[in-house]
Amino acid sequence: MSALGDEIPTNTSEDFGFKSLGQKNILPSSEESLPFSSLSHFSILNGKSLYIAYSNDRLIIGDLQTLREFIENTEDLSRDELDKKFEETIPDVVFCGFNANAKAIVATRSGSIITIDTNSFEKEQESIELHKTILTAKLHHNLLWILDDKNQIF
């Protein structure tokens, strides 16, 4: 007992948390090639109800409701049966997400910054080559912060 009064009791409960929708593989497993230690490989664009995901050299963009229905479906469907709006093989992605202009932004370890229009789902011609090794990247609104292998942020 403390000088101020009784201590607050500690309650432990398993009743809190997230309910699982289900478990389905939507991308190839990274068992063959271990992912980078710092990952930003899943993001949601609420305004357009889209998601972007990456694993084992496969980048996909799709509709959130379609993903939910795919996961909730009790049939044993393969990931190839998931309807995607964009799918492409891109090696060594260290970041994927959406900016404030609703464009998908993808950064690769080799220094490429790729933008994908979420209206046409086409890669834009203005991809940037930084000629630096990117360790990680973070996106805040329209500002992309990049950390390279020399620990420089730009």
Side-chain angles (χ1 to χ4, degrees):
M1 180 149 160
S2 79
L4 299 175
D6 292 336
E7 292 185 20
I8 299 173
T10 301
N11 294 325
T12 304
S13 176
E14 305 263 335
D15 297 333
F16 301 104
F18 297 98
K19 180 182 175 191
S20 173
L21 293 174
Q23 184 172 348
K24 299 274 176 97
N25 291 327
I26 62 171
L27 287 164
S29 168
S30 61
E31 290 175 7
E32 304 86 35
S33 170
L34 292 176
F36 300 110
S37 61
S38 175
L39 296 177
S40 295
H41 286 170
F42 185 81
S43 185
I44 293 174
L45 179 61
N46 285 320
K48 290 191 172 189
S49 293
L50 295 174
Y51 70 91
I52 185 169
Y54 176 85
S55 178
N56 204 24
D57 294 347
R58 299 298 298 160
L59 180 81
I60 60 173
I61 300 174
D63 180 71
L64 276 174
Q65 187 59 37
T66 304
L67 178 62
R68 175 184 283 268
E69 291 166 1
F70 178 78
I71 291 172
E72 288 177 340
N73 190 335
T74 57
E75 297 176 24
D76 191 22
L77 301 173
S78 76
R79 66 177 164 259
D80 296 328
E81 296 177 72
L82 174 63
D83 185 34
K84 305 165 202 84
K85 297 187 178 287
F86 178 88
E87 183 173 12
E88 188 164 319
T89 299
I90 303 173
D92 296 334
V93 168
V94 294
F95 172 84
C96 63
F98 297 102
N99 69 6
N101 296 332
K103 290 188 179 185
I105 307 294
V106 178
T108 68
R109 185 167 176 80
S110 63
S112 296
I113 308 296
I114 302 162
T115 57
I116 302 165
D117 186 289
T118 57
N119 293 318
S120 65
F121 297 99
E122 298 288 329
K123 282 191 348 186
E124 297 191 357
Q125 298 298 324
E126 59 192 50
S127 294
I128 301 168
E129 292 293 332
L130 298 176
H131 304 292
K132 295 182 180 282
T133 300
I134 297 175
L135 296 181
T136 190
K138 300 291 180 205
L139 185 64
H140 182 69
H141 297 290
N142 280 342
L143 185 59
L144 183 65
W145 294 89
I146 297 171
L147 177 69
D148 71 4
D149 62 339
K150 296 180 178 36
N151 290 325
Q152 295 178 334
I153 295 176
F154 55 99

